[in-house]
């Protein structure tokens, strides 16, 4: 079996590559920053068609998406997000539809498409009304994908994740940033003061290694044209993340509330229902929240030590 991954050198892509190879699946893909695979922007239609025709994948995992987040629905990031989420995705699906053997396609989406006021945990049939440009771009992607997949007769599945965490994540995500702070504090490279926003908000955290297992299970067993929440179903507050880090840090640090860290319209709780995923595939989260934190912290300790 052959798999093609967009965003292959990103946070989730790296973990997916490692997992697929363990399963004996041959892997290739594209990324804007890669030095190991095809460096390609999905808006380059001609080159994308050429790469896919040569690869002839059985599975396509579409992970590529700009990490351009904001608290507003309409801002300068919307057009940049749509460049890949919409136009790049259209190119990808058209290229896939031209292959002799139609591959199964998984679109990695987000729970940011849900209406924040909807009853939680979100179910897949909950109201859709994104509150941010990122969520709006991803919802547009979903609608286009479902329509084109039907037209092209492509077996396509969409996932909605909340927060994937674990080693190798990019800056700008709370667990990753806090773990990096602690590692730098331990190494004497950061003052022992952690500036935080609202510590009471709660999120459904899922280890990325569980996430990629769900992706493979869904691309194999999921029903084409359906949407599945990918989440642990376990909710923790940001304060609990900080408490764990304080207990496990090699050097003490204090916590300072900062108005600059507060985000407008930040929902108090974000969690989703993973029943549909579990019933379709038998998937269960295996990595504990504490193990995710430990591995992320140790990743940053090793990174900083190697510098």
């Amino acid at each position: 079996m052959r798999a093609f991954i967009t965003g292959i050198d990103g946070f989730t892509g790296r973990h997916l590559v490692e997992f697929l190879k363990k399963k004996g699946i041959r892997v290739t893909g594209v990324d804007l920053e890669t030095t190991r695979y095809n460096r390609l922007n999905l808006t380059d239609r001609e080159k994308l068609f050429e790469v896919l025709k040569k690869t002839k994948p059985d599975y396509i995992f579409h992970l590529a998406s700009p990490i351009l987040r904001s608290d507003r629905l309409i801002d300068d990031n919307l057009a940049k997000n749509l460049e890949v989420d919409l136009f790049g995705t259209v190119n990808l699906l058209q290229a896939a539809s031209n292959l002799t053997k139609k591959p199964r396609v998984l679109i990695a989406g987000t729970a940011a498409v849900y209406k924040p006021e909807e009853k939680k945990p979100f179910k897949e049939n909950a109201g859709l009304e994104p509150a941010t440009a990122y969520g709006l771009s991803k919802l547009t992607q979903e609608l286009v994908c479902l329509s084109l997949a039907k037209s092209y007769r492509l077996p396509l599945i969409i996932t909605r994740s909340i927060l994937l965490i674990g080693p190798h994540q990019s800056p700008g995500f709370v667990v990753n940033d806090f773990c990096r702070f602690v590692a730098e504090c331990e190494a004497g490279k950061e003052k022992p003061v952690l500036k935080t926003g609202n510590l009471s908000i709660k999120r459904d955290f899922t280890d990325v290694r569980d996430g990629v297992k769900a992706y493979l299970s869904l691309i194999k067993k999921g029903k084409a044209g359906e949407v599945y929440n990918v989440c642990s179903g376990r909710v923790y507050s940001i304060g609990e993340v900080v408490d764990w880090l304080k207990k496990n840090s090699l050097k003490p640090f204090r916590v300072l509330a900062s108005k600059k860290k507060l985000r407008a319209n930040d929902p108090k709780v974000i969690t989703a229902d993973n029943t549909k995923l579990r019933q379709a595939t038998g998937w269960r989260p295996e990595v504990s929240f504490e193990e995710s934190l430990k591995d992320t912290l140790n990743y940053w300790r090793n990174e900083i030590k190697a510098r």
Side-chain angles (χ1 to χ4, degrees):
M1 301 294 283
R2 295 182 295 272
F4 182 85
I5 304 171
T6 71
I8 193 168
D9 256 352
F11 169 52
T12 306
R14 291 184 181 188
H15 288 279
L16 182 58
V17 167
E18 182 179 351
F19 179 62
L20 294 180
K21 285 184 175 180
K22 287 180 180 178
K23 294 295 182 180
I25 298 173
R26 287 181 285 174
V27 179
T28 189
V30 296
D31 200 291
L32 282 175
E33 306 296 334
T34 186
T35 57
R36 298 178 295 168
Y37 301 97
N38 298 287
R39 181 175 291 185
L40 175 66
N41 190 318
L42 295 180
T43 58
D44 188 339
R45 187 173 184 272
E46 186 175 324
K47 191 171 181 181
L48 178 59
F49 273 53
E50 180 184 324
V51 170
L52 263 189
K53 185 177 180 180
K54 182 179 179 181
T55 304
K56 298 177 182 177
D58 300 288
Y59 302 138
I60 293 177
F61 296 89
H62 184 24
L63 310 182
S65 185
I67 306 175
L68 300 170
R69 303 174 188 272
S70 71
D71 298 327
R72 295 183 295 168
L73 183 63
I74 305 297
D75 63 11
D76 294 339
N77 288 334
L78 180 58
K80 296 176 183 177
N81 278 313
L82 285 171
E83 183 177 340
V84 173
D85 290 339
L86 178 56
F87 301 113
T89 300
V90 168
N91 288 341
L92 180 67
L93 296 186
Q94 287 180 337
S97 71
N98 284 341
L99 298 175
T100 303
K101 179 185 176 183
K102 301 287 179 69
R104 290 181 65 83
V105 181
L106 182 141
I107 306 295
T110 173
V113 300
Y114 289 118
K115 185 177 181 180
E117 294 80 12
E118 281 289 291
K119 182 180 178 181
K120 301 175 184 67
F122 295 129
K123 292 189 176 183
E124 288 84 354
N125 60 358
L128 304 178
E129 190 177 312
T132 64
Y134 171 71
L136 180 58
S137 179
K138 296 298 284 185
L139 178 56
T140 303
Q141 180 189 58
E142 281 194 15
L143 297 174
V144 170
C145 282
L146 292 173
S147 179
L148 290 182
K150 186 175 181 180
S151 177
Y152 295 150
R153 296 183 180 179
L154 274 175
L156 178 143
I157 291 160
I158 293 173
T159 66
R160 292 176 184 155
S161 301
I162 298 181
L163 281 175
L164 296 179
I165 60 174
H168 299 287
Q169 195 166 29
S170 302
F173 295 87
V174 63
V175 169
N176 178 73
D177 290 354
F178 283 6
C179 287
R180 180 176 180 172
F181 161 81
V182 170
E184 289 182 333
C185 184
E186 291 175 343
K189 298 179 181 294
E190 186 69 65
K191 293 180 180 179
V193 180
L194 176 62
K195 295 181 180 180
T196 68
N198 186 352
L199 295 179
S200 67
I201 62 173
K202 297 180 178 181
R203 295 293 182 264
D204 185 323
F205 294 104
T206 305
D207 191 279
V208 65
R209 291 161 291 191
D210 281 331
V212 298
K213 289 178 182 178
Y215 288 173
L216 180 59
S217 294
L218 281 170
I219 210 166
K220 285 183 173 182
K221 301 177 182 179
K223 184 178 179 181
E226 291 291 321
V227 176
Y228 296 86
N229 289 329
V230 174
C231 57
S232 68
R234 302 175 302 211
V235 179
Y236 298 89
S237 71
I238 305 303
E240 288 178 276
V241 175
V242 174
D243 288 342
W244 186 93
L245 289 171
K246 290 182 76 173
K247 290 178 182 178
N248 290 274
S249 175
L250 301 179
K251 288 188 177 181
F253 63 88
R254 64 188 182 93
V255 179
L256 179 66
S258 171
K259 290 184 178 180
K260 292 182 179 180
K261 295 288 184 178
L262 294 174
R263 297 178 62 180
N265 304 318
D266 212 357
K268 293 181 179 179
V269 180
I270 298 181
T271 182
D273 188 321
N274 62 19
T275 302
K276 186 176 178 181
L277 164 63
R278 290 188 286 107
Q279 290 179 344
T281 67
W283 175 89
R284 296 287 189 281
E286 298 175 0
V287 183
S288 70
F289 180 60
E290 293 75 16
E291 187 177 353
S292 295
L293 294 179
K294 181 185 71 174
D295 290 348
T296 305
L297 178 57
N298 285 335
Y299 163 76
W300 278 114
R301 283 169 171 163
N302 292 331
E303 282 289 300
I304 292 167
K305 185 178 180 180
R307 291 176 183 174

